[in-house]
Amino acid sequence: MGRSSLDEAALVVEALGREFEVTGVERLDVGGLDVTVLDLGEISGRRVAVSVLPEATTINIWSSRRAVAAGLLVAGGREPLVIVYSRRGRMTKAAYLYLGYSAYHRGFEVVVVNGGPGEVREVLESLSTIGRVRVSEERLYPVRP
């Protein structure tokens, strides 16, 4: 079994360095899913949270709903961005479609990152420098149309 969400969150915080301040950390059991939410406050006018899942989590409809709910609990507000992170995770097609539909109809943006913790930093650097998330197709799954 992979590392816990808290262990993975520590790696993400380390990768963010001093450029991005984590203003809050909360470990939750959301309906049986181990999630650690990192609150990054506002970046380029967007409220940002990272929902960190254990290593190699299969992100299906069940887990994606819970991860996004935990992120929105923290990042609720104007144009929230929830980054769902699971190093070496895998997302099912049904979860991809569900997240796209939910994000579009509920007015938030979600990006799923399944690479190393440095990829979370890349997403945030893009948001901070150009004001939007630039997604690299081979590493990240854009979920907003």
Side-chain angles (χ1 to χ4, degrees):
M1 183 161 154
R3 296 163 54 122
S4 76
S5 70
L6 193 57
D7 294 335
E8 291 295 311
L11 295 175
V12 172
V13 169
E14 184 179 318
L16 296 179
R18 297 181 192 261
E19 185 177 346
F20 298 102
E21 182 181 349
V22 176
T23 61
V25 177
E26 189 164 351
R27 187 170 186 193
L28 306 167
D29 179 343
V30 186
L33 181 67
D34 175 22
V35 180
T36 299
V37 181
L38 304 175
D39 183 356
L40 297 173
E42 246 185 61
I43 300 173
S44 294
R46 308 277 307 275
R47 192 55 206 226
V48 180
V50 181
S51 289
V52 181
L53 305 176
E55 180 181 7
T57 297
T58 296
I59 302 168
N60 54 27
I61 290 177
W62 177 84
S63 59
S64 65
R65 286 180 65 196
R66 283 158 176 77
V68 167
L72 288 174
L73 180 68
V74 170
R78 200 176 119 234
E79 297 186 46
L81 167 63
V82 176
I83 299 170
V84 178
Y85 174 74
S86 176
R87 183 167 51 101
R88 296 186 316 116
R90 188 180 68 79
M91 185 161 70
T92 66
K93 187 174 185 177
Y96 179 85
L97 295 171
Y98 169 78
L99 287 174
Y101 177 84
S102 295
Y104 179 77
H105 287 287
R106 294 194 177 110
F108 65 91
E109 187 170 7
V110 61
V111 175
V112 178
V113 178
N114 65 353
E119 289 184 15
V120 173
R121 181 185 177 98
E122 289 174 18
V123 169
L124 297 173
E125 285 172 342
S126 170
L127 178 61
S128 142
T129 57
I130 63 175
R132 64 183 179 84
V133 175
R134 188 185 72 228
V135 177
S136 172
E137 290 292 330
E138 73 274 6
R139 294 185 292 175
L140 307 173
Y141 296 95
V143 184
R144 186 173 183 168

